[in-house]
């Protein structure tokens, strides 16, 4: 049952409406009112509407929703933690939360990242805000977070953009354009691309940037040079093998993530191809491994830690001090040139 039941007494001597009163007037149980407050889906639409209208008309206020009653907790829901990408996001979120005297609680949404079981834990903790990282947000989850009064932000959203949801991302198209233009400027004309899964918006945007760069240079897009990976090293290696097996293999590869680029490195090494003498490689993200692989990886810097910091600041912003309406924030990407790119052989 909602912890606000029986919440009597308010600031200035005003008396708060209780869940019990709402339940009696609506003709339902207190548990039903609590479920409506917590955004549970098992309540019939008619009952949910009736209870919500009563809550609004009677001016019910639940404890823990007002920013003055902060719990000092930020929930970060992420699809995986075993990658340098996730480490950067977590680092940025934790540092910013600490500045606000808050702690970060991490939930790894294994399997289906849209699974709403994490919502139960958010409701129990009365978190001050939720960062959803690479998690497609289902409408039911958005409705429940809204009912809980919990601010939430999608970080690096992978699906389409819902104008009602606040997002913090990066300029993926510009990053793909910059990476490909760099390779074209070195003289490459056979440029392969290993982007991420085709159903992800960020994958498509990076691929569109690649295509735009080729178009500007008057280079036709060869479908054989376009491959879809999984943003992991294994996918990068598999797709690099497919590219290098072509009758006319590429002289350069733009990988849609640094992990995929590491897979391209592995496949090139397996074939005895030196980077960048025989094959140039560009990644995307600029995680720590870029400076430690050999040769050091040229990549597109995505400000992952800064994205997480902005997301934390957004969910903790005092009511009325944030931008009007849910913002869509995009941070600039930039090309970091290191040692993995050179003019094509011959």
């Amino acid at each position: 049952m909602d912890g606000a039941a029986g919440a009597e007494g308010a600031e200035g001597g005003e008396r708060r409406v209780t869940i019990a009163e709402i339940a009696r007037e609506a003709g339902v149980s207190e548990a039903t009112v609590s479920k409506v407050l917590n955004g549970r889906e098992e309540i019939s639409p008619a009952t949910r509407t009736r209870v919500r209208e009563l809550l609004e008309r009677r001016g019910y206020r639940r404890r823990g929703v007002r920013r003055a009653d902060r719990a000092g907790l930020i929930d970060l829901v992420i699809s995986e933690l075993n990658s340098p990408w996730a480490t950067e996001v977590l680092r940025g979120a934790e540092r910013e939360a600490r500045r606000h005297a808050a702690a970060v609680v991490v939930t790894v949404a294994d399997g289906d990242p849209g699974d709403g079981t994490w919502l139960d834990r958010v409701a129990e903790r009365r978190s001050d805000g939720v960062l959803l990282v690479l998690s497609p947000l289902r409408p039911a989850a958005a409705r429940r977070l809204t009912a809980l009064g919990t601010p939430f932000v999608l970080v690096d959203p992978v699906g389409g953009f819902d104008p009602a949801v606040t997002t913090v991302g990066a300029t993926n198209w510009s990053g793909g354009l910059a990476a490909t233009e760099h390779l074209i400027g070195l003289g490459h004309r056979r440029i392969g691309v290993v982007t991420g899964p085709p159903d992800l918006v960020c994958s498509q945007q990076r691929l569109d940037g690649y295509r735009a760069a080729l178009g500007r240079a008057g280079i036709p897009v060869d479908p054989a040079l376009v491959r879809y990976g999984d943003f992991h090293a294994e996918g990068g290696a598999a797709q690099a093998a497919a590219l290098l097996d072509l009758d006319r293999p590429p002289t350069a590869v733009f990988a849609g993530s640094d992990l995929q680029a590491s897979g391209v490195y592995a496949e090139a090494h397996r074939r005895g191809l030196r980077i960048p003498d025989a094959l140039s490689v560009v990644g995307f993200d600029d995680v720590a491994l870029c400076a430690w692989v050999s040769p050091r990886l040229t990549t597109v810097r995505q400000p992952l830690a800064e994205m997480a910091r902005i997301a934390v600041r957004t969910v903790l912003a005092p009511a009325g001090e944030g931008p009007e309406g849910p913002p869509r924030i995009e941070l600039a990407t930039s090309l970091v040139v290191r040692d993995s790119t050179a003019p094509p052989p011959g």
Side-chain angles (χ1 to χ4, degrees), residues 151-162:
F152 60 95
V153 173
L154 286 177
V155 181
D156 197 13
V158 300
F161 296 101
D162 184 342

Side-chain angles (χ1 to χ4, degrees), residues 157-287:
V158 300
F161 296 101
D162 184 342
V165 175
T166 300
T167 63
V168 179
T171 52
N172 290 294
W173 183 89
S174 297
L177 180 79
T180 311
E181 285 187 335
H182 169 67
L183 293 169
I184 292 171
L186 290 171
H188 294 276
R189 295 297 181 267
R190 293 284 293 173
I191 302 172
V193 59
V194 182
T195 189
D199 59 331
L200 302 188
V201 170
C202 57
S203 302
Q204 192 60 53
Q205 290 173 334
R206 294 169 195 179
L207 178 58
D208 287 344
Y210 159 87
R211 287 172 169 153
L214 293 180
R216 288 184 179 184
I219 303 173
V221 176
D222 184 347
L225 295 178
V226 177
R227 302 286 168 163
Y228 293 92
D230 57 5
F231 283 146
H232 292 87
E234 295 80 3
Q239 297 308 320
L243 288 170
L244 295 172
D245 281 340
L246 294 172
D247 291 338
R248 294 181 59 222
T251 59
V253 174
F254 165 42
S257 75
D258 293 336
L259 285 179
Q260 286 190 149
S262 71
V264 176
Y265 270 46
E267 182 60 24
H269 177 73
R270 190 181 72 81
R271 293 170 182 250
L273 299 176
R274 290 177 60 85
I275 297 173
D277 299 339
L279 182 71
S280 288
V281 182
V282 179
F284 200 108
D285 287 332
D286 196 28
V287 296

Side-chain angles (χ1 to χ4, degrees), residues 22-299:
I22 297 295
R24 284 196 299 270
E25 190 168 344
V28 298
S29 67
E30 294 180 32
T32 296
V33 177
S34 293
K35 289 178 180 179
V36 172
L37 282 167
N38 288 323
R40 303 303 291 264
E41 293 293 305
E42 60 263 33
I43 308 301
S44 71
T47 298
R48 186 162 53 243
T49 299
R50 184 167 72 254
V51 171
R52 284 178 176 169
E53 288 176 349
L54 271 172
L55 290 166
E56 183 175 352
R57 187 167 70 247
R58 295 291 304 277
Y60 175 82
R61 291 184 303 169
R62 62 188 299 168
R63 290 186 303 199
V65 171
R66 294 179 299 125
R67 295 302 177 94
D69 299 331
R70 281 180 49 196
L73 293 176
I74 299 291
D75 268 273
L76 189 148
V77 183
I78 192 167
S79 56
E80 62 177 45
L81 277 177
N82 58 340
S83 73
W85 187 98
T87 301
E88 283 295 302
V89 172
L90 181 57
R91 181 172 63 86
E94 194 279 329
R95 285 184 177 179
E96 186 63 24
R98 198 182 331 138
R99 289 185 61 248
H100 296 272
V104 175
V105 180
V106 178
T107 297
V108 179
D110 290 321
D112 179 6
D115 182 9
T117 55
W118 52 269
L119 278 164
D120 293 329
R121 295 188 285 274
V122 173
E124 292 168 0
R125 285 191 287 266
R126 293 285 186 263
S127 299
D128 301 318
V130 179
L131 273 56
L132 301 169
V133 186
L134 281 178
S135 299
L137 183 63
R138 293 177 177 172
R143 288 195 299 270
R144 189 171 178 197
L145 285 170
T146 301
L148 288 169
T150 305
F152 60 95
V153 173
L154 286 177
V155 181
D156 197 13
V158 300
F161 296 101
D162 184 342
V165 175
T166 300
T167 63
V168 179
T171 52
N172 290 294
W173 183 89
S174 297
L177 180 79
T180 311
E181 285 187 335
H182 169 67
L183 293 169
I184 292 171
L186 290 171
H188 294 276
R189 295 297 181 267
R190 293 284 293 173
I191 302 172
V193 59
V194 182
T195 189
D199 59 331
L200 302 188
V201 170
C202 57
S203 302
Q204 192 60 53
Q205 290 173 334
R206 294 169 195 179
L207 178 58
D208 287 344
Y210 159 87
R211 287 172 169 153
L214 293 180
R216 288 184 179 184
I219 303 173
V221 176
D222 184 347
L225 295 178
V226 177
R227 302 286 168 163
Y228 293 92
D230 57 5
F231 283 146
H232 292 87
E234 295 80 3
Q239 297 308 320
L243 288 170
L244 295 172
D245 281 340
L246 294 172
D247 291 338
R248 294 181 59 222
T251 59
V253 174
F254 165 42
S257 75
D258 293 336
L259 285 179
Q260 286 190 149
S262 71
V264 176
Y265 270 46
E267 182 60 24
H269 177 73
R270 190 181 72 81
R271 293 170 182 250
L273 299 176
R274 290 177 60 85
I275 297 173
D277 299 339
L279 182 71
S280 288
V281 182
V282 179
F284 200 108
D285 287 332
D286 196 28
V287 296
L289 70 85
C290 296
W292 293 100
V293 294
S294 181
R296 298 181 310 149
L297 179 65
T298 294
T299 189

